[in-house]
Amino acid sequence: MEELMEILEEIKPDVDFAVCDTLIDDGILDSFDILNIVSELNDAFDIEITPVDIVPENFNSAKALWEMVKRLQED
Amino acid sequence: MSFISMEFLLFLFIAVVVYYLLPQKGQWIWLLICSYLFYLSSGIKVTLFLVVTTISTFGVGLLLEQEDFRLKQILKQKNGNLTAEEKKMYKDKSKCRKKWLLAGALVFNFGILAVLKYWNFAIDNWNILFHTEYNHVNFLLPLGISFYTFQSMGYLIDVYRKKYVPEHNLFRFALFVSYFPQLLQGPIGRFDRLSHQFFEKHTFELMRIERGLQLMLWGFFKKMVLADRAAVLVNQVFQNYEEYSGIAIIAAVLGYSLQLYADFSGGMDVVMGASECFHIKLDQNFKQPYFAVSISDFWHRWHITLGTWMKDYVFYPLSLSKGMNRFGKFTKKYFGKHVGRVLPVCISNLVIFFLVGVWHGAAWKFIAYGLYNGIIIAFSNLAAPLYQKAIAFFHIPVKSKPWVVFQIVRTFLLVNIGWYFDMGISFSAALVMMRQTLTGFSLSALTDGSLFVLGLSVSDYAVLLLGSAVIFFVSLLKEHKISVRESISKKPLVIRWALYGILMFSIPLLGQVAVVQGGFIYAQF
């Protein structure tokens, strides 16, 4: 989780990822951020996030992102 | 069978009556029979292409599922006895087999589309490049081939990605590919949103039929009263572009804005209205496109199902590919964070718009049209920080109405410049027309009567202006989340039918039946 938080803060330093759970719903992350996050997570955790996974439920909070990473690592 | 024909209305009437007389199990079978009868009316040979795409997609969908099942079985059998590396090896092998299966189906089906649509374009370019004289080949072009190919391949990619399990019944799948209201000009449907609707129980409700017919009527009005009338002016100027300049060309380009929107969105209204009569809801293809505040926003509102198809099946795979990832890191290192973040997306967008251009037709002017849109979006993304600085420097209230109106007008202007390529008879003709718009510009054209020798009379212009005002007003209400259709549905029966009557009689009275009686523009794709 720490590594994930570091990646997120590097991409979007002005967002409090520890508390925000409306990253997509409130338009805090734009499409460029999402693609950046996907690409960084794929590299860092050796997973493959596919377009099917790119849905608001998986990107609305750091916790949801972490759940997705864990699920894809187990797959 | 054209949607604008008595045959189609009779066909739809019989199809709807029988549909609601049948029990649930028979309804989807009847829809399949109707869909094939509808397609067969355009010829037996072209129907074979539809059958080939259906069977090949269905078969490969099952093979992909089988491959997933095989992997699961292997992992289950060797449960606990595999190291992480061995498990990964099995997964990679399985993924590789799935990739080959998918690639084979994509190459086969898009190959058919490419040969039938683009062979002669390739021959023309080959002849120019290598000074050869190969002749054109007269291929049959199955109606709606782009639409059903894209829809089928979208399904297959989703199955590959395990978004849903494939359909196990060939005939059920055949209905998904061939459902007749959407077969010729879309919208490009998605299996998970469309297919299950075919097999639910649908009971007869008069209000639903009324609403379906209401939408169809609105579509016919847009197409026959506005699009076909504007087409007279548009064809006259674009096909004889050397003879015109200045305001005549501007009138034709604005006319094309109206024609294309009324034709395509009118066609969609007919399609969705016809489908509503069967209680099948299709995806929206338009969302008030001329209210867009940027070109990117325009493409989120115009031909939406093509845009989302491109996003899901081309943009994401390309943007998330390893090569693009490396390129992003490279640009970030040498050109800064913003460029590293935006440039790979811009390149993916350019590829998308190149494909959108090619999708519109086999000609360089369409490729120019696509790239024109892609370049504007890329430029606006790359220049975003400068734009933000300028906004802050000039203290522009970005949410104020005047600024939003300015953005809408600016986008409309850019969209209209794009129409020069889309409608011009060639790439060079489009450039000549652009030059003549500026060099021959004179306000005297507004008063010397020259606009009235372009095929339209004063009353024709009045109909176009009035019709545009009606469309604008309806769109404005929709933009403010007010549905005119809902409001009409709540009115007393007499008022509802009086409105339908006015609309219905306006079509034969004002419809451009005699001069231009063309099919829908997008039914040629």
Side-chain angles (χ1 to χ4, degrees), chain B residues 272-326:
Chain B
M272 298 184 90
S275 189
E276 215 166 298
C277 292
F278 297 105
H279 198 193
I280 307 286
K281 196 170 164 21
L282 301 174
D283 288 344
Q284 284 286 345
N285 235 357
F286 284 93
K287 197 181 158 202
Q288 300 83 255
Y290 292 142
F291 282 92
V293 292
S294 66
I295 289 290
S296 171
D297 186 26
F298 176 78
W299 283 99
H300 285 110
R301 293 163 172 261
W302 178 281
H303 206 172
I304 298 167
T305 56
L306 178 68
T308 50
W309 194 98
M310 288 288 177
K311 184 186 83 179
D312 287 347
Y313 306 119
V314 185
F315 176 79
Y316 277 142
L318 195 59
S319 301
L320 300 177
S321 65
K322 285 191 176 122
M324 204 55 99
N325 191 6
R326 277 198 293 272

Side-chain angles (χ1 to χ4, degrees), chain B residues 330-350:
Chain B
F330 171 82
T331 46
K332 195 173 169 183
K333 191 174 167 190
Y334 292 100
F335 301 100
K337 199 174 170 184
H338 174 67
V339 177
R341 178 176 173 262
V342 170
L343 196 58
V345 177
C346 293
I347 289 171
S348 301
N349 263 329
L350 279 175

Side-chain angles (χ1 to χ4, degrees), chain A residues 9-13 30-36 38-40 42-43 46 48-52 54 73-75, chain B residues 87-88 91 95 99 158 161-163 311-312 315-317 319-320 325 329 332 337 340-342 345-346 349 381:
Chain A
E9 274 151 22
E10 158 79 20
I11 291 172
K12 205 87 174 170
D30 63 18
S31 52
F32 298 108
D33 298 324
I34 294 168
L35 289 170
N36 258 310
V38 170
S39 140
E40 292 293 337
N42 281 347
D43 270 6
D46 193 25
E48 191 184 345
I49 299 170
T50 69
V52 176
I54 305 177
Q73 277 180 325
E74 281 162 21
D75 264 1
Chain B
K87 207 171 164 184
K88 192 171 181 303
K91 280 184 182 175
K95 197 175 162 190
K99 264 189 182 162
D158 282 346
R161 291 173 177 167
K162 293 194 258 186
K163 189 178 178 187
K311 184 186 83 179
D312 287 347
F315 176 79
Y316 277 142
S319 301
L320 300 177
N325 191 6
K329 289 199 165 114
K332 195 173 169 183
K337 199 174 170 184
R341 178 176 173 262
V342 170
V345 177
C346 293
N349 263 329
N381 287 334

Side-chain angles (χ1 to χ4, degrees), chain B residues 114-135:
Chain B
V115 169
L116 297 184
K117 268 187 91 169
Y118 304 103
W119 184 263
N120 288 332
F121 177 56
I123 293 252
D124 287 341
N125 286 295
W126 183 275
N127 283 342
I128 291 168
L129 276 175
F130 300 104
H131 308 290
T132 52
E133 287 180 359
Y134 291 112
N135 292 324

Side-chain angles (χ1 to χ4, degrees), chain B residues 240-272:
Chain B
N240 306 287
Y241 67 95
E242 301 98 332
E243 298 169 24
Y244 300 103
S245 60
I247 286 186
I249 294 180
I250 293 173
V253 174
L254 288 174
Y256 187 59
S257 262
L258 174 64
Q259 184 201 351
L260 195 61
Y261 175 67
D263 188 291
F264 193 15
S265 76
M268 281 304 106
D269 292 337
V270 173
V271 164
M272 298 184 90

